[in-house]
Amino acid sequence: MVDLKGQYEFIKDEVATAFDQVMVQTAFINGPMVAAFQKDLERYLAVKHVIPCANGTDALQLALMALGLQPGDEVITADFTFAATVEVIALLQLKPVLVDVDPVSFNILPAAVEQAITSKTKAIIPVHLFGQSAEMEQLLDIAARHQLFLVEDTAQAIGANYTFSSGKVAKAGTLGHIGATSFFPSKNLGAYGDGGALFTNDDTLAHRLRGMVNHGMYERYYHDVVGVNSRLDALQAAVLKVKLQYLDFYNERRKEAALRYTRLLQGHPNIITPKVIGACDSHVFHQYTLRIVNHDREGLVEYLNVHDIPCGVYYPVPLHAQKAYIDPEVDSEQFPITNQLVKEVISLPMHSELELEQINYIAEKVLAYLNA
Ligand SMILES: *Cc1c(COP(=O)(O)O)cnc(C)c1O
């Protein structure tokens, strides 16, 4: 699905130099390299504070901890996403409230969010799924009207822009109270191990988070709040600092690959190609996800595997139907779109090193199966 080796070939001298700097500095946790990456990312995102941490799941958990939510508080998120989002809600003994998504953007439906709000609702976590910004303008409006926190899961959408109807543009992840992202190796900005970060423009939240990631310490061995151990190590920061320079280029390459796929596949009666809803830079194609309609999605997965084409089904089970998160009071019929999408979606190989011939070959095989 990704070609990290091809990407490495291109940047290996720069990575080697950056690794060497870390070795010379011998600061492996935090230290100058992590600080330098943090500054670069703050500048890139045009956000006041970036707080690096150990992974994207921790980032989401830390966001909810910093907002001071109490057990029983309700947090609204999408039914159609990776489990990490709902996992941290449950871990903190908050109540996940799942809502359905839009069949075109795959993102949380603002109208469904509004309907799910109760007197116990404290926060909304939209996920910018597959790299496309969620409907932030409407979500910000809902959050403001109901005095709710907005935490953006930006694990799949780093670098995506969001354009408001006023014309104002900002990076996904910097619009709500806190943004969380992941630097898992296959993400658009991927480390060579685990990594994550939080974004906020709020000085108080930033300060709270900086202590929370490091055992609640603001002064060494003085623990003011309950924290966790979630730090970005310097070797990962070194890789990320090199790769951040190329993030826009990587995302541009992904977009070109997506356009090419779409040109080859759109119009087929059994295929719905992904749509970019907002401005063309609102989608960074972490995944290129088709819907296979009135045909056998499982058969296509098998056929592609036989032809050595990797593909993925993100996600095969709605969160409301996952064993860990089943709530007997929640009716599956509340999620008609997610229930449909889990049967139809298939993600094709998508990365910044995809060659034209590879895309042509993959599209040819998809069509060959559907037309057989
Ligand atoms: C990858 C991902 C996460 C978790 O990130 P990790 O760094 O693997 O913990 C959370 N949410 C979404 C939507 C993701 O894609």
Side-chain angles (χ1 to χ4, degrees):
M1 291 296 279
V2 294
D3 178 12
L4 294 174
K5 208 163 162 206
Q7 194 188 56
Y8 175 62
E9 286 304 315
F10 195 71
I11 55 172
K12 81 190 217 195
D13 292 346
E14 281 182 278
V15 170
T17 306
F19 276 173
D20 196 49
Q21 280 173 8
V22 174
M23 298 306 169
V24 171
Q25 287 162 355
T26 56
F28 297 110
I29 301 285
N30 295 327
M33 189 57 85
V34 175
F37 167 63
Q38 178 193 313
K39 281 274 160 308
D40 286 0
L41 190 55
E42 283 167 354
R43 203 172 312 124
Y44 174 82
L45 294 169
V47 72
K48 221 162 154 195
H49 305 282
V50 165
I51 300 98
C53 67
N55 58 67
T57 309
D58 276 6
L60 288 166
Q61 181 182 329
L62 284 154
L64 296 178
M65 286 169 66
L67 295 173
L69 304 192
Q70 297 303 313
D73 286 350
E74 294 179 3
V75 180
I76 299 173
T77 193
D79 190 34
F80 186 61
T81 177
F82 182 55
T85 329
V86 72
E87 180 178 56
V88 300
I89 298 171
L91 268 176
L92 295 172
Q93 296 182 5
L94 308 169
K95 186 177 176 212
V97 175
L98 300 171
V99 300
D100 215 353
V101 297
D102 180 88
V104 179
S105 70
F106 304 120
N107 279 325
I108 199 164
L109 277 166
V113 169
E114 188 136 35
Q115 260 178 15
I117 293 171
T118 73
S119 58
K120 289 191 185 151
T121 307
K122 289 287 153 53
I124 312 168
I125 311 186
V127 182
H128 306 297
L129 203 71
F130 303 148
Q132 172 139 257
S133 299
E135 279 294 341
M136 289 306 291
E137 190 155 353
Q138 289 179 56
L139 293 169
L140 283 163
D141 175 60
I142 293 170
R145 276 191 285 112
H146 296 271
Q147 293 185 296
L148 305 175
F149 293 115
L150 196 55
V151 174
E152 300 172 71
D153 183 340
T154 320
Q156 302 189 358
I158 193 150
N161 278 325
Y162 182 79
T163 305
F164 289 83
S165 48
S166 68
K168 184 185 130 184
V169 179
K171 291 279 179 215
T174 67
L175 301 160
H177 296 88
I178 304 181
T181 203
S182 162
F183 303 124
F184 186 80
S186 64
K187 301 283 153 104
N188 290 35
L189 179 60
Y192 291 166
D194 276 312
L198 295 123
F199 320 136
T200 185
N201 284 305
D202 183 313
D203 297 339
T204 310
L205 285 174
H207 175 74
R208 203 174 294 157
L209 284 166
R210 283 191 209 291
M212 272 184 170
V213 298
N214 195 17
H215 304 292
M217 279 193 289
Y218 296 89
E219 197 182 325
R220 215 169 176 144
Y221 304 120
Y222 290 82
H223 304 269
D224 296 359
V225 293
V226 177
V228 296
N229 171 12
S230 184
R231 298 168 301 214
L232 182 67
D233 77 64
L235 288 171
Q236 300 309 335
V239 176
L240 292 166
K241 190 171 184 306
V242 170
K243 282 202 188 181
L244 178 58
Q245 305 170 89
Y246 301 107
L247 179 58
D248 285 343
F249 167 74
Y250 292 151
N251 284 343
E252 207 48 51
R253 292 274 309 180
R254 285 172 179 268
K255 229 170 301 168
E256 283 165 18
L259 274 174
R260 178 89 198 156
Y261 272 132
T262 296
R263 217 170 290 143
L264 296 168
L265 296 171
Q266 73 185 354
H268 191 283
N270 301 119
I271 299 177
I272 300 177
T273 51
K275 300 253 173 333
V276 179
I277 308 295
C280 68
D281 56 0
S282 66
H283 200 326
V284 292
F285 285 97
H286 175 60
Q287 298 295 349
Y288 183 84
T289 304
L290 301 174
R291 290 174 59 191
I292 302 300
V293 290
N294 305 316
H295 209 296
D296 178 11
R297 193 262 320 264
E298 293 313 313
L300 176 59
V301 169
E302 255 169 58
Y303 180 86
L304 293 178
N305 285 337
V306 165
H307 289 85
D308 283 327
I309 298 171
C311 61
V313 171
Y314 312 114
Y315 296 90
V317 181
L319 287 179
H320 78 263
Q322 294 282 2
K323 272 191 207 153
Y325 303 110
I326 287 177
D327 177 345
E329 283 171 18
V330 170
D331 186 350
S332 181
E333 280 170 26
Q334 271 176 253
F335 312 95
I337 301 164
T338 302
N339 289 336
Q340 188 69 22
L341 290 177
V342 295
K343 293 184 222 148
E344 295 177 347
V345 289
I346 181 168
S347 299
L348 300 180
M350 172 50 74
H351 51 84
S352 47
E353 286 67 41
L354 266 183
E355 301 291 345
L356 215 60
E357 303 83 72
Q358 292 175 309
I359 299 170
N360 291 345
Y361 177 74
I362 295 162
E364 194 182 294
K365 290 293 174 208
V366 170
L367 295 173
Y369 175 79
L370 295 177
N371 292 332

